Amino acid sequence: GAGVSQSPRYKVAKRGQDVALRCDPISGHVSLFWYQQALGQGPEFLTYFQNEAQLDKSGLPSDRFFAERPEGSVSTLKIQRTQQEDSAVYLCASSFSSGANVLTFGAGSRLTVL
Amino acid sequence: ILNVEQSPQSLHVQEGDSTNFTCSFPSSNFYALHWYRWETAKSPEALFVMTLNGDEKKKGRISATLNTKEGYSYLYIKGSQPEDSATYLCALLAPSGSRLTFGEGTQLTVNP
């Protein structure tokens, strides 16, 4: 597609529910990043894929967070047993080459946990 | 942990005013600096990627400078327009990593 597509744009979950957020990067983009942006903060790194390989997951805040990119294109960020502190905008970004060259971002998925 | 700081946190200017804001970072841990503009309900959009000390880049009315020795970058907007209203984010790429570390952003509001 022309840009990075994320779905859903908005998600309201009850505490304890599992959620899955999807990212469709630009076709052919090798690198894919997930960031979490809490209100009033800058985006915080969660995880990085190069093709299907998850090269860095050091930013995932707990073992409730899991990300995958099984075929090196679409990626899913899953959050199990959501907590209120998981409320944030989750941004996905991709780039053509490896490493963090210019990133093309999606519009984000805003998660609200009640 | 890299510390990227942006100031001010927010800024209100009148249409036609010129404005600037700052991004500071640890000079010892620099590979590249990115600037992004993030309008409400849209995707963050890349403005500049800067790598060399003394770099100056320009895109329309927006320009940026970089000083890697002292660890700062300035973003300038000449003759601000209401459509410039957005959050401006800077992000540092360190030599050792592949991730960008973002500042908290400067939220600019341009009043007509």
Side-chain angles (χ1 to χ4, degrees):
Chain A
V4 177
S5 177
Q6 291 189 245
S7 61
R9 287 291 309 275
Y10 302 93
K11 176 70 180 177
V12 178
K14 290 185 180 176
R15 194 167 52 143
Q17 276 186 329
D18 297 349
V19 299
L21 308 176
R22 177 187 167 107
C23 173
D24 249 298
I26 292 174
S27 179
H29 273 197
V30 167
S31 297
L32 185 145
F33 297 82
W34 283 98
Y35 282 84
Q36 178 194 57
Q37 196 228 5
L39 192 63
Q41 305 293 315
E44 297 274 349
F45 171 82
L46 292 177
T47 187
Y48 161 56
F49 291 87
Q50 185 175 320
N51 296 308
E52 69 278 5
Q54 189 174 21
L55 297 187
D56 187 349
K57 57 181 182 179
S58 61
L60 296 176
S62 77
D63 58 9
R64 296 186 295 103
F65 286 70
F66 171 75
E68 60 183 3
R69 194 186 185 199
E71 295 176 4
S73 55
V74 170
S75 177
T76 304
L77 177 68
K78 296 179 180 177
I79 309 173
Q80 296 177 321
R81 304 181 305 281
T82 51
Q83 304 293 314
Q84 282 189 318
E85 62 263 25
D86 300 335
S87 296
V89 174
Y90 291 85
L91 288 166
C92 175
S94 68
S95 70
F96 180 73
S97 54
S98 60
N101 294 289
V102 174
L103 298 183
T104 303
F105 280 89
S109 292
R110 180 179 294 277
L111 172 66
T112 303
V113 182
L114 303 175
Chain B
I1 296 178
L2 296 176
N3 197 22
V4 178
E5 294 185 352
Q6 291 189 247
S7 62
Q9 275 191 326
S10 65
L11 194 54
H12 291 252
V13 302
Q14 290 298 123
E15 183 175 355
D17 287 350
S18 293
T19 187
N20 66 85
F21 18 96
T22 306
C23 173
S24 59
F25 52 86
S27 56
S28 58
N29 225 339
F30 175 86
Y31 185 75
L33 190 85
H34 292 216
W35 281 101
Y36 291 84
R37 173 171 62 195
W38 193 2
E39 294 180 66
T40 304
K42 294 187 178 179
S43 311
E45 172 200 354
L47 290 173
F48 306 112
V49 178
M50 308 179 81
T51 55
L52 298 175
N53 184 43
D55 237 356
E56 282 191 40
K57 296 215 171 178
K58 190 174 180 183
K59 186 175 181 178
R61 293 178 291 98
I62 304 177
S63 60
T65 60
L66 178 66
N67 184 324
T68 60
K69 293 186 178 179
E70 296 182 37
Y72 64 85
S73 176
Y74 293 138
L75 190 80
Y76 300 90
I77 303 178
K78 185 177 177 182
S80 304
Q81 300 296 308
E83 59 264 30
D84 297 329
S85 298
T87 296
Y88 291 82
L89 293 163
C90 72
L92 177 71
L93 180 64
S96 56
S98 52
R99 66 170 76 175
L100 288 174
T101 300
F102 282 85
E104 293 187 353
T106 292
Q107 186 173 5
L108 174 67
T109 304
V110 182
N111 299 310

